[in-house]
Amino acid sequence: MLRRRLLAALAVPAMAALAAFAPLGAQAQNTFPTRSITVLVPFAAGGPTDTVTRLVAEVMGRDLGQPMVVENVGGAGGTLGAARVAQAKPDGYYLLLHHIGMGTTPSLYRRLSYDAVNGFEPVGLVTEVPMTIIARKDIPANNLQELVALIRKEGTGLNYAHAGVGAASHLCGLLLQTAVGTQMTTVPYRGTGPAMTDLIGGTVDLMCDQTTNTTEHIRAGAVRAFAVTTPQRLPSLPDLPTTAEAGLPGMEVTVWHALYAPKGTPADVVNRLSRALQVALRDEKLVARFADLGTAPVAQERATPEAARAFWQADIAKWRPIIEAAGQYAD
Ligand code: MLT
């Protein structure tokens, strides 16, 4: 009896000692997360990245048993927010949900306070979102051909809104101006959420933004839509022609999004987050809401650290020669 009690008494400190020497990842697997997690959106609230993040964070939080709080840090095309996460403690409690800007930033910005190529542990891809060319509702153009003619006539007399150099709305604006062969005056915002407010108010003339931000405003008639930047029309906006149908073939772009933790976050923590992301992307309500906003979650096997890393690095490699050839940098 005494021997058994002694063994039991020794076993507890021995287990505690062993736990103290266990790798951080192994501890995390058992305990993570023990408190709320913050997901940083590197653009203003109310925009497309914010919308996607809030939908995903709510379901992920339920699976993780802890709330996921969304924080918006907009500015400098998403690099201010990305820097904040890259420099955060790598413990899984401060994450970044960012988009195609993760592929363009390393080439567009030559002076950054963080490592834009290796400074993150990808958790998984989230979605790929189509874009729409839209304008203030009283713009004097009834279709894309008339809009192109107006851009050619007015040039810098028209204001094109975007979310900073490297933002999706900026890239789409570059494609549009290149396709039309005319420059407009560009107006940067901290995100297309506030840019949309000004477009609806008529302060700016045009924008190209993701369907996750534009769909409801198009349906409500608050802005005028000219085309969607995908090869096929969207079931959510069936009357909207594709860019090819409307007269700008080749002007196709979708905006990929992924979730990241800071570099050095233990693999077990990243994997736990990835499993929660996969659960979120299977959630029926989330899938339905995404569909209503013109998008869909990625396939489950793409919501993994490996798939996200491969896609991110390939996108960096894809954009580098394009940006270097254009010789246009953000700094
Ligand atoms: C946003 O969330 O504001 C957008 O994703 C910005 C953009 O990239 O156009």
Side-chain angles (χ1 to χ4, degrees), residues 37-260:
I37 295 170
T38 299
V39 193
L40 186 144
V41 170
F43 297 102
T49 317
D50 184 65
T51 297
V52 164
T53 305
R54 283 175 199 276
L55 290 167
V56 171
E58 198 203 322
V59 194
M60 277 186 75
R62 280 206 298 274
D63 184 66
L64 291 164
Q66 294 288 344
M68 285 186 91
V69 180
V70 178
E71 179 182 323
N72 298 84
V73 180
T79 57
L80 294 185
R84 208 178 271 200
V85 177
Q87 287 151 6
K89 196 172 167 194
D91 58 6
Y93 288 96
Y94 204 48
L95 309 176
L96 173 72
L97 203 148
H98 201 347
H99 62 25
I100 192 170
M102 290 290 282
T104 57
T105 292
S107 312
L108 274 175
Y109 289 78
R110 291 167 297 179
R111 280 180 291 276
L112 287 168
S113 63
Y114 66 101
D115 182 349
V117 177
N118 286 307
F120 301 90
E121 306 289 352
V123 172
L125 289 160
V126 176
T127 182
E128 290 191 54
V129 187
M131 303 193 83
T132 47
I133 300 172
I134 56 174
R136 61 180 160 81
K137 63 176 184 293
D138 55 353
I139 197 125
N142 293 310
N143 52 48
L144 191 59
Q145 288 303 324
E146 290 182 18
L147 185 71
V148 168
L150 185 73
I151 295 171
R152 287 191 178 133
K153 180 164 161 261
E154 300 287 336
T156 50
L158 289 174
N159 290 322
Y160 177 90
H162 65 84
V165 176
S169 45
H170 176 249
L171 298 171
C172 192
L174 289 180
L175 284 177
L176 178 63
Q177 292 174 104
T178 306
V180 174
T182 308
Q183 299 282 312
M184 292 176 271
T185 298
T186 55
V187 186
Y189 288 79
R190 283 182 176 266
T192 49
M196 180 64 86
T197 306
D198 279 3
L199 189 70
I200 291 169
T203 315
V204 288
D205 301 304
L206 270 110
M207 185 157 71
C208 179
D209 195 21
Q210 297 161 68
T211 54
T212 36
N213 194 31
T214 62
T215 301
E216 288 176 350
H217 300 299
I218 293 171
R219 284 186 191 141
V223 294
R224 183 168 297 174
F226 295 91
V228 59
T229 63
T230 43
Q232 269 89 39
R233 290 190 184 207
L234 302 177
S236 49
L237 291 169
D239 297 334
L240 193 60
T242 65
T243 37
E245 285 173 335
L248 287 182
M251 206 200 133
E252 284 168 14
V253 56
T254 55
V255 184
W256 63 275
H257 294 69
L259 184 64
Y260 306 83

Side-chain angles (χ1 to χ4, degrees), residues 107-110 165 320 323-331:
S107 312
L108 274 175
Y109 289 78
R110 291 167 297 179
V165 176
R320 196 177 292 286
I323 292 166
E324 285 177 359
Q328 288 193 4
Y329 300 100
D331 41 43

